[in-house]
Amino acid sequence: MQHVNRRTLMTAAGLAGLATVLPTGAAAAAPGRCGEHAWCGPGLPPDERASLVLREMTWDEKISLLGGDDLFGAAGSGHTGTGHGVDRLGVPPVYYGDGPVGSRQGSGTSMPSGVSLAASFDTDLATTYGATVANEVRCKGNDVVFGPTVDVLRLPTSGRAFEGFGEDPLLSSRIGVGWAEGAHSEGVLVCVKHFAAYVQEGQLGVVGSRMLYNAVVDERTLREIYLPPFEAAVREAGVGAVMGSYNRVGGQYACEHQWLLNDLLKHEWGFTGYTIADYAAMHSTGNSLANGMDFEPWPALVYSPAAIRTALATGQAATSDVDEHAHRILRTMFAHGIVDRPAYPDDESQIDKPAHLEIAGRVAEQGMTLLRNDGLLPLDANALRGSTIAVIGDAADEFVQGGGSSSTTPYSFVTPLRGLQQRGVDAGITVVHEPGRTPQAAAEAARNADIAVVVVSDMMSEFLDKPNLDLDSGVAQFPPPALGNPLADQDAIIDAVLDANANTVVVLETGGPVRTPWRYRTRALVEAWYPGANAGTALARVLFGDVDPGGRLPLTFPDSDADTPTAGDVARYPGLGLDVHFTEGVFVGYRHYDAHEVEPAFPFGHGLSYTSFGYSDLEVSDTEVSVVVTNTGARTGHAVPQLYLGLPSPREDVPQPPRQLKGFTKLTLEPGRSASVTFTLTDRSLAYWDQLAGRWTVAAGNYRVEVGESSRDIRVDGGFTVPAPRRVR
């Protein structure tokens, strides 16, 4: 999307280490498992090879390809699921592994959460992240990785907010494509998820439940907000699989949705891979067969051989449907080299765990977002020699992560406390810890220290949305209180520490936005997200200024729950009956706050540096926007110039947000150095979805151009005019 003269974010040492850690599985030259059959020649097109083998299959063999393990088949295997092969025809089994933040097969390197990666605003880093995860999934014997999660965030309290890439479709698309390309470099097939309009988990597992709700959403909103990351994954990254979601869309379950799976995904977008249902997301055998669902993983109940035969016998589906699904699975296996290479061994000794831990730390650094800084940071190690830092909070000495299919068991981890203690030893600084389970204890520790660092966390998880944006409103108190101790009120603890010590840094380890009623009293506020296995090393490096904080908010931090796009409207959330009405339309995230002139606590794209940047020499046309960014401070730092467009409204029924993100990049600039950034605009950048015409259209009118450091910090602006509407091809 844009071209820029810049220093790469990943250090040369990091890239060199990655090259030794991540061998490219696709390049393996060892013999495959196909044998001497006619379809085993790799020079034949994948479609032809699939057709050849399909002709030799019995009906039992074809049907067996459509369903994974039976109820007990995956038990003890370690894999997330298994697809059956046909040994007599040289078709191997397919092994599936989670997941979006690291391998869940035994232990693994726990990477920072998806929202942390998105906060980096760095597509190259996303590629490194995807390759790291895929390498471990591959080294545990898997062919397919379930990830990335590219669901655009609608609800700030969604239980899976931490797993995705935030509230903007462009950011989610670019990070998702980078992630997928990195995973592909490891010879692992990518299954992007969850398709489509999957935006909530529900309350108490019942109200607004993900298993039941029906997304009542217009096509423009789908096309402009929720579908672009999937379209990019298919058309640009060439993913081999797309996972269907639990919910319904327009009355049909996503895993048996004719328009989503067949008309849009396979025909309009030209998807040549296969569709996979989320676990227990399928309902009707006949509808799923007829409407585009190719594969049901463990346990294959709806696609059990008996269920499929019954659906065929009763006319709910045709034998051609079975052939179509089996052909897609086979074609994808040939196209992605699964048949032509040896099986990946389950041998985690291949994993360079120290190198992966270092990568996890680099991602955490680049995702950490400095929300507020009154000159306290970066900490001066020389000036603090002989001083005391009090690290306060249970979360400071815990491994904090989200729950569900993105929870991992780390090989090892460095907590914030350990990271700061090690830095203290190196610098001659005493670092003490107070769990801070009461405001009194927290205040006492802060009062006796020169610097206080309060680390607080929330708990977000698949299965359940948070009831509100309070710190302590997650699915469970985390970390759990000691036996006999009351639950900690983390806001009260922060207030007590601020009363006791003005030199306080608050560190948030949260899966998404939280309320920050005390923010103006802090001297520094850092959003660390769920920072992964190397959290402590990364946090110490950011706080002491070894590295500039690299993060920018991929989602808005509201001032209150009442300000969110769905607030006060039960039809929007959790829904009326089973229907969830997306009546906010395209006004999701910062688009909502800007359109309604609501002041957020911290806006989308916000994040401070330890230096400052100037913007100049804006040049604008309808195909290109360029700007010069200069480091005007005294330190090397990261800039994230963001391009926003304000599109004209072609008519009253097509309202447009004040601004939409249309480009971004990340720069590392030394003091006094400048870089010229060029953002390329295509017709699609300028287009809206015209529901009346059923196509993308560029409207005639004046287009506002803004470049800045957040959606509310615009540094230069301009515009251009499109004289006449035009159809996007």
Side-chain angles (χ1 to χ4, degrees):
M1 294 293 292
Q2 59 271 344
H3 308 283
V4 59
N5 301 318
R6 63 185 176 117
R7 293 172 55 191
T8 184
L9 177 61
M10 179 62 70
T11 64
L15 286 172
L18 186 66
T20 60
V21 173
L22 305 177
T24 302
R33 293 164 282 176
C34 191
E36 301 298 326
H37 304 288
W39 50 85
C40 294
L44 295 175
D47 272 313
E48 183 177 342
R49 298 176 72 183
S51 296
L52 286 171
V53 68
L54 196 63
R55 288 195 201 108
E56 301 300 319
M57 282 186 172
T58 67
W59 268 106
D60 285 342
E61 288 168 341
K62 292 177 183 180
I63 289 172
S64 74
L65 292 180
L66 275 55
D69 298 286
D70 60 29
L71 186 58
F72 302 103
S77 73
H79 304 289
T80 304
T82 302
H84 300 292
V86 182
D87 185 62
R88 76 175 185 90
L89 300 177
V91 179
V94 177
Y95 296 108
Y96 297 84
D98 273 331
V101 301
S103 173
R104 300 180 66 235
Q105 188 170 322
S107 299
T109 301
S110 297
M111 297 293 284
S113 59
V115 72
S116 174
L117 173 63
S120 74
F121 275 68
D122 191 304
T123 57
D124 292 337
L125 192 63
T127 301
T128 300
Y129 187 113
T132 305
V133 171
N135 176 259
E136 297 201 3
V137 167
R138 185 192 104 156
C139 289
K140 293 172 184 289
N142 296 291
D143 306 289
V144 181
V145 59
F146 287 146
T149 298
V150 298
D151 304 304
V152 173
L153 186 69
R154 175 181 186 249
L155 185 73
T157 52
S158 169
R160 297 182 92 158
F162 71 94
E163 191 176 313
F165 300 141
E167 69 190 26
D168 183 79
L170 176 71
L171 179 61
S172 296
S173 298
R174 306 284 26 103
I175 298 296
V177 167
W179 197 109
E181 290 176 343
H184 283 156
S185 74
E186 272 297 296
V188 174
L189 190 151
V190 170
C191 177
V192 67
K193 59 182 191 174
H194 309 85
F195 191 65
Y198 177 40
V199 296
Q200 65 191 58
E201 300 298 294
Q203 299 174 0
L204 302 177
V206 179
V207 181
S209 168
R210 67 177 183 172
M211 307 298 292
L212 301 171
Y213 83 81
N214 175 41
V216 182
V217 55
D218 63 89
E219 188 175 353
R220 180 192 173 202
T221 299
L222 276 176
R223 294 274 192 170
E224 293 189 19
I225 302 296
Y226 299 105
L227 294 179
F230 293 97
E231 184 179 2
V234 168
R235 289 184 154 175
E236 296 180 47
V239 297
V242 173
M243 179 176 283
S245 57
Y246 291 107
N247 54 285
R248 291 176 293 159
V249 180
Q252 281 185 295
Y253 281 105
C255 288
E256 52 187 60
H257 202 292
Q258 166 68 24
W259 183 77
L260 281 174
L261 301 181
N262 282 335
D263 297 344
L264 179 71
L265 178 63
K266 295 178 179 180
H267 296 150
E268 182 180 326
W269 292 353
F271 176 59
T272 56
Y274 64 106
T275 54
I276 300 177
D278 206 341
Y279 285 55
M282 290 175 65
H283 296 266
S284 165
T285 305
N287 288 341
S288 298
L289 286 169
N291 294 340
M293 180 48 62
D294 298 314
F295 179 73
E296 181 185 26
W298 177 89
L301 300 178
V302 176
Y303 270 6
S304 69
I308 291 175
R309 287 190 173 279
T310 298
L312 295 176
T314 57
Q316 300 174 58
T319 56
S320 59
D321 295 322
V322 173
D323 281 337
E324 162 71 10
H325 302 314
H327 184 277
R328 279 187 169 272
I329 293 168
L330 291 167
R331 183 215 172 276
T332 306
M333 293 175 67
F334 285 121
H336 286 260
I338 293 174
V339 180
D340 299 324
R341 58 163 171 78
Y344 291 145
D346 184 354
D347 179 13
E348 66 177 21
S349 68
Q350 302 174 79
I351 298 170
D352 190 336
K353 298 173 187 176
H356 283 196
L357 185 65
E358 181 183 1
I359 291 170
R362 293 284 181 254
V363 174
E365 291 171 6
Q366 293 306 316
M368 286 189 185
T369 308
L370 184 59
L371 298 177
R372 177 173 167 81
N373 186 26
D374 188 20
L376 181 60
L377 297 181
L379 300 176
D380 187 331
N382 292 327
L384 288 173
R385 183 172 294 275
S387 300
T388 297
I389 296 177
V391 181
I392 300 167
D394 264 323
D397 200 26
E398 300 286 344
F399 173 64
V400 177
Q401 66 173 334
S405 61
S406 282
S407 63
T408 56
T409 302
Y411 287 127
S412 63
F413 59 91
V414 182
T415 66
L417 176 62
R418 283 175 53 201
L420 290 170
Q421 284 177 332
Q422 182 58 56
R423 185 54 188 262
V425 169
D426 296 341
I429 301 168
T430 300
V431 177
V432 299
H433 181 231
E434 165 54 50
R437 296 191 180 110
T438 67
Q440 295 80 9
E444 182 67 18
R447 195 173 294 113
N448 294 326
D450 299 283
I451 302 286
V453 178
V454 187
V455 183
V456 293
S457 65
D458 72 350
M459 178 58 191
M460 304 185 87
S461 179
E462 183 180 358
F463 311 118
L464 192 65
D465 295 327
K466 291 175 61 173
N468 55 55
L469 291 169
D470 291 347
L471 266 172
D472 299 312
S473 70
V475 296
Q477 176 69 21
F478 187 86
L483 187 64
N485 286 339
L487 295 175
D489 181 340
Q490 294 182 104
D491 284 319
I493 287 167
I494 293 170
D495 280 327
V497 172
L498 291 170
D499 287 340
N501 190 330
N503 293 322
T504 294
V505 180
V506 177
V507 178
L508 301 172
E509 290 190 332
T510 65
V514 293
R515 286 199 322 114
T516 55
W518 29 258
R519 62 185 176 276
Y520 294 117
R521 301 178 60 210
T522 64
R523 291 203 61 195
L525 175 58
V526 177
E527 174 56 81
W529 314 105
Y530 297 150
N534 212 358
T537 304
L539 181 63
R541 283 172 51 80
V542 168
L543 294 188
F544 280 90
D546 302 332
V547 62
D548 201 44
R552 304 297 185 266
L553 289 182
L555 40 74
T556 303
F557 269 51
D559 185 48
S560 74
D561 289 87
D563 294 339
T564 64
T566 60
D569 189 339
V570 295
R572 290 184 180 180
Y573 180 81
L576 288 175
L578 298 179
D579 290 340
V580 175
H581 296 265
F582 289 52
T583 51
E584 74 282 357
V586 300
F587 294 88
V588 176
Y590 66 91
R591 293 164 167 81
H592 159 80
Y593 296 91
D594 290 349
H596 296 279
E597 300 183 338
V598 176
E599 189 68 25
F602 299 105
F604 176 88
H606 171 72
L608 303 176
S609 167
Y610 292 148
T611 188
S612 56
F613 299 96
Y615 288 70
S616 62
D617 301 322
L618 178 70
E619 296 184 4
V620 172
S621 74
D622 63 353
T623 59
E624 193 172 273
V625 174
S626 64
V627 67
V628 173
V629 182
T630 303
N631 185 339
T632 57
R635 298 173 59 96
T636 296
H638 304 302
V640 182
Q642 301 158 38
L643 169 67
Y644 296 90
L645 295 186
L647 276 58
S649 174
R651 54 181 187 267
E652 188 176 348
D653 65 334
V654 187
Q656 291 287 7
R659 60 188 56 85
Q660 303 177 49
L661 183 71
K662 295 296 181 177
F664 64 88
T665 195
K666 192 161 194 173
L667 309 173
T668 302
L669 292 175
E670 296 174 350
R673 298 300 296 272
S674 298
S676 177
V677 179
T678 298
F679 301 98
T680 300
L681 297 177
T682 65
D683 275 356
R684 184 65 180 268
S685 305
L686 312 182
Y688 71 98
W689 181 258
D690 187 340
Q691 293 195 154
L692 296 180
R695 62 173 180 250
W696 292 100
T697 301
V698 176
N702 297 322
Y703 288 71
R704 188 171 58 258
V705 175
E706 300 175 331
V707 180
E709 301 213 321
S710 81
S711 59
R712 294 293 179 97
D713 185 4
I714 303 303
R715 300 300 183 86
V716 289
D717 59 70
F720 59 85
T721 299
V722 173
R726 59 179 181 262
R727 178 178 181 175
V728 177
R729 298 187 181 277

